Amino acid sequence: MLTASCTSAKEAKDMPTCCNYFIKSAEYRIMFGAKKLSFSYKPQLLTSLAGYSAKAFTSDLIAGFIVGIVALPLAIAFAIASGVGPEAGLFTAIIAGFCISAFGGSTVQIGGPTGAFAVIVYGVVAEFGVAGLATATVMAGILLILLGAFKMGGLVKFIPYTIVTGFTAGIAVTIATGQIGDFLGLSITVFPEGFTKMPGDFVGKIQTYALNIQRVNLYSFIMAAVSLVLLFVWPRFNKRIPGSLIVIILATAASIILKNTAGLETDTIGSRYGEIPSSLPMPKLPDLRLSTIRTLFPTAVSIAVLAAIESLLSAVVADGMTGAKHDSDTELIGQGIANIASPLFGGIPATGAIARTATNIKNGGRTPVAGIIHAITLLLILLFLGKYAVYIPMAALAAVLINVAWNMAGFKAIRALVRGQKSDTCVLTVTFLITVFIDLTVAIEVGLGFAAFFFIKKMCDLSEVQAKRENLTEGVQNTRIAGDNERDEKLDVPDGVMVYEIDGPLFFGTVRKFEVAVTQANLDYKVLVLRMRNTIYLDAGGIQALEQAKASCDKKGVTIVISGIHTQPYLLCEKMGILDKLKRENVCAHIDDAMARAREILNQK
């Protein structure tokens, strides 16, 4: 964004006519932007309650109740996949789910623990423990609030689709990999060298499963396989009642019956984690010492970035389903509040959940009240039915999570991207592999690096520096050049004048083309006209190239004239002092003016 006033009155007068309009527009945007810097925050709940009716409440009540039921098994499953107790998932869905709906910027967003966070949370818990996770989550919440307060919500659009698809697929693979042990009912007692518990990385988990593969529990495997098949076929019969809920109920009933009648045993939540509390814990502040903050700051950034990306993507999907428009900055503030509150009550990081948000919309939810009711529904389940959750088989939860991983893998999107450009396939593959084998945050960083590299290369390929006059020895030439608005124009180029047209941005990636083009023009000309009507961007590399061209031309007694320069290149040239070196009378608004100026120079010489 431009800062302060762009130019003085005298400079504006000296500026080419083609830039005056843009300068006025830029000054207007600056003043407008200054007003936007004032902090304003209004959650969608307040807007939605204006004119709220009994009919709308009934619709939200039904949707919220259904989403609460859907969220129950997912909250428990994601917590277990994250390496924490099942109750942490419920606490998160209740506290964070309420805050995201009450303080966020989307009318239909449903928040809570998600599969994307399971991967990063598992690693944080393994390295820093639950206490470290709580500190990192609070810090991430503060960062999210700052992002929203400084109007950074729109930045998510700069995350390329290929990166989002790649790391989502990588997360899906990681989630599914973490459930193989429970799906097979493995009794894991042997670990790879250097480990005393299940490793957090992909390769370590595969090695652990391989070392314990002979300890498969056939009963658990059959239960998990049947549950997974039921999850895939259930939507064909009923799309309103979630298959995950049906599977959990049926598997729990089967587990209890078969244990009492046939003595068949399988791991359950109770056998592995003990009892689930029937109430919310008292709030507890995390460790916020300076030394702890320094250690966990990179982790907090990872959580904040992932929360911002996933929540805003979910909000965008919701907008497409409802036709509404979310406020991305307010949504980030709501997400920040949720991630500060969640760990205070024993929860884990939370964000907008696309599947639960879609369920809310499909069942009639249209205001944040539905999300609040979803949280209240889960609270009531915790208070009155939470004790029965200990009977849920781990094999059934593994099937639920593998089904979630399958749905979030995005096979259709991957197939479409693979059929497209090789650069997109490369970014997708690199992001996917790094997500699976190294780290999610590193995957995003490297993916952005690759995407930027390919974008720069593409801009270089599209940019051209062409000589528009081939022969300078045959008097006046009539050279046809594609003009504005796709019209052709006849341009009279006198002897002693060379016209170069720069198509595309002149930046560090395309500077070499410019330098080569100018150097190779070993002809006897006295004026070099650089036509920049199609050059909307210039950087420091482009400035240096212009300076080098000026120095080279000075040695040959050649004068440079610039034609049709746009606002951004003009302002940068102004700041860098190039205009004074070229002389302002040699900077023209139109090619006809440049030709007239070239003739003046020829006459003077």
Side-chain angles (χ1 to χ4, degrees):
M1 186 176 184
L2 300 174
T3 58
S5 60
C6 300
T7 180
S8 67
K10 181 180 182 302
E11 291 168 341
K13 182 178 180 181
D14 293 338
M15 188 177 296
T17 306
C18 65
C19 292
N20 289 341
Y21 171 77
F22 294 101
I23 289 298
K24 293 177 181 178
S25 299
E27 290 174 342
Y28 174 76
R29 287 195 297 271
I30 293 167
M31 292 187 294
F32 183 70
K35 293 181 180 178
K36 291 185 70 175
L37 289 177
S38 59
F39 179 77
S40 62
Y41 167 68
K42 185 178 182 181
Q44 283 289 351
L45 178 62
L46 297 180
T47 304
S48 300
L49 290 179
Y52 195 64
S53 64
K55 181 180 179 181
F57 176 75
T58 302
S59 180
D60 286 337
L61 179 65
I62 295 172
F65 177 76
I66 293 174
V67 176
I69 299 299
V70 171
L72 175 64
L74 295 177
I76 293 174
F78 289 141
I80 292 173
S82 300
V84 297
E87 69 280 1
L90 291 175
F91 298 158
T92 306
I94 294 169
I95 300 299
F98 175 88
C99 292
I100 288 172
S101 295
F103 303 109
S106 172
T107 55
V108 292
Q109 182 89 283
I110 301 295
T114 63
F117 269 127
V119 179
I120 193 170
V121 170
Y122 190 94
V124 175
V125 172
E127 185 174 358
F128 302 107
V130 175
L133 174 65
T135 303
T137 305
V138 170
M139 292 166 60
I142 295 172
L143 291 175
L144 285 167
I145 291 176
L146 292 175
L147 287 175
F150 285 99
K151 310 294 183 183
M152 306 294 282
L155 291 182
V156 71
K157 63 187 176 186
F158 295 110
I159 305 293
Y161 179 66
T162 48
I163 295 178
V164 174
T165 304
F167 82 68
T168 301
I171 289 169
V173 170
T174 307
I175 291 173
T177 302
Q179 302 310 307
I180 293 175
D182 287 331
F183 193 90
L184 299 176
L186 296 179
S187 176
I188 297 177
T189 57
V190 182
F191 300 97
E193 186 177 352
F195 292 92
T196 58
K197 61 180 181 178
M198 176 65 76
D201 63 292
F202 175 83
V203 175
K205 288 178 181 178
I206 296 298
Q207 290 177 337
T208 303
Y209 297 144
L211 292 172
N212 295 273
I213 193 65
Q214 71 275 13
R215 297 182 177 85
V216 173
N217 184 323
L218 186 59
Y219 167 50
S220 297
F221 172 65
I222 293 174
M223 176 178 287
V226 172
S227 297
L228 187 59
V229 171
L230 182 58
L231 284 166
F232 279 114
V233 302
W234 178 258
R236 298 182 181 180
F237 301 99
N238 192 311
K239 293 185 178 181
R240 294 185 66 86
I241 301 176
S244 58
L245 179 64
I246 299 300
V247 163
I248 293 299
I249 293 174
L250 293 179
T252 302
S255 175
I256 294 173
I257 293 171
L258 292 174
K259 179 180 180 180
N260 294 331
T261 58
L264 295 175
E265 293 278 354
T266 184
D267 275 354
T268 64
I269 289 178
S271 66
R272 185 172 297 181
Y273 298 100
E275 295 184 358
I276 293 180
S278 296
S279 62
L280 289 172
M282 294 297 294
K284 181 182 177 181
L285 288 175
D287 182 6
L288 294 176
R289 289 176 299 179
L290 184 59
S291 58
T292 306
I293 291 174
R294 288 175 176 172
T295 302
L296 293 172
F297 184 76
T299 302
V301 172
S302 300
I303 294 173
V305 169
L306 183 56
I309 292 173
E310 190 170 5
S311 62
L312 294 181
L313 285 176
S314 177
V316 169
V317 172
D319 288 349
M321 297 177 68
T322 62
K325 182 70 174 177
H326 77 280
D327 185 327
S328 57
D329 298 315
T330 301
E331 180 64 21
L332 287 181
I333 293 174
Q335 295 287 337
I337 294 172
N339 280 283
I340 291 174
S342 177
L344 300 182
F345 290 89
I348 59 178
T351 185
I354 295 177
R356 275 161 275 176
T357 299
T359 302
N360 179 39
I361 296 169
K362 291 177 181 178
N363 286 279
R366 289 297 180 271
T367 76
V369 174
I372 293 174
I373 292 173
H374 134 269
I376 294 174
T377 300
L378 286 169
L379 177 61
L380 294 175
I381 292 174
L382 175 69
L383 295 176
F384 300 105
L385 301 175
K387 58 184 179 182
Y388 298 110
V390 295
Y391 299 107
I392 298 176
M394 297 300 298
L397 284 176
V400 169
L401 284 170
I402 290 176
N403 178 251
V404 169
W406 177 271
N407 291 331
M408 72 183 295
F411 293 108
K412 289 183 179 179
I414 292 173
R415 283 195 294 268
L417 288 172
V418 168
R419 288 196 294 265
Q421 302 178 98
K422 291 183 179 180
S423 58
D424 289 339
T425 303
C426 179
V427 173
L428 172 71
T429 304
V430 168
T431 305
F432 170 79
L433 292 176
I434 295 179
T435 300
V436 173
F437 291 101
I438 301 178
D439 180 74
L440 172 66
T441 307
V442 175
I444 295 175
E445 294 171 353
V446 174
L448 282 172
F450 269 81
F453 171 79
F454 285 121
F455 176 78
I456 292 170
K457 183 179 183 301
K458 189 175 297 183
M459 290 299 99
C460 294
D461 294 340
L462 293 175
S463 299
E464 294 184 2
V465 183
Q466 303 177 8
K468 294 302 181 181
R469 186 180 186 312
E470 301 287 338
N471 191 337
L472 298 175
T473 62
E474 299 179 1
V476 177
Q477 302 292 317
N478 289 328
T479 304
R480 295 180 66 81
I481 304 177
D484 296 333
N485 301 321
E486 301 182 355
R487 294 176 300 178
D488 287 350
E489 62 181 354
K490 288 187 177 181
L491 184 63
D492 292 335
V493 182
D495 280 339
V497 177
M498 170 67 77
V499 179
Y500 269 100
E501 180 152 3
I502 305 172
D503 291 322
L506 183 58
F507 67 116
F508 65 90
T510 57
V511 160
R512 184 57 183 164
K513 284 187 177 182
F514 175 79
E515 292 174 344
V516 169
V518 174
T519 302
Q520 289 179 346
N522 294 319
L523 300 174
D524 185 22
Y525 57 90
K526 298 299 181 182
V527 179
L528 173 62
V529 177
L530 298 180
R531 199 173 191 190
M532 300 179 68
R533 59 177 179 169
N534 295 323
T535 305
I536 61 173
Y537 178 74
L538 186 71
D539 75 348
I543 291 291
Q544 185 182 26
L546 288 175
E547 288 184 333
Q548 290 177 350
K550 174 70 167 57
S552 177
C553 288
D554 287 344
K555 292 179 181 179
K556 299 177 182 179
V558 176
T559 302
I560 294 179
V561 175
I562 292 180
S563 165
I565 188 169
H566 284 268
T567 305
Q568 188 275 339
Y570 184 94
L571 293 175
L572 186 60
C573 288
E574 174 73 35
K575 291 179 180 179
M576 302 290 286
I578 300 300
L579 296 184
D580 293 327
K581 293 180 181 179
L582 293 174
K583 296 182 180 179
R584 293 178 182 272
E585 60 269 23
N586 293 332
V587 181
C588 305
H590 192 269
I591 187 64
D592 292 338
D593 300 328
M595 289 295 98
R597 176 57 186 161
R599 291 187 179 91
E600 289 180 11
I601 295 172
L602 290 175
N603 292 332
Q604 292 172 3
K605 292 186 177 183

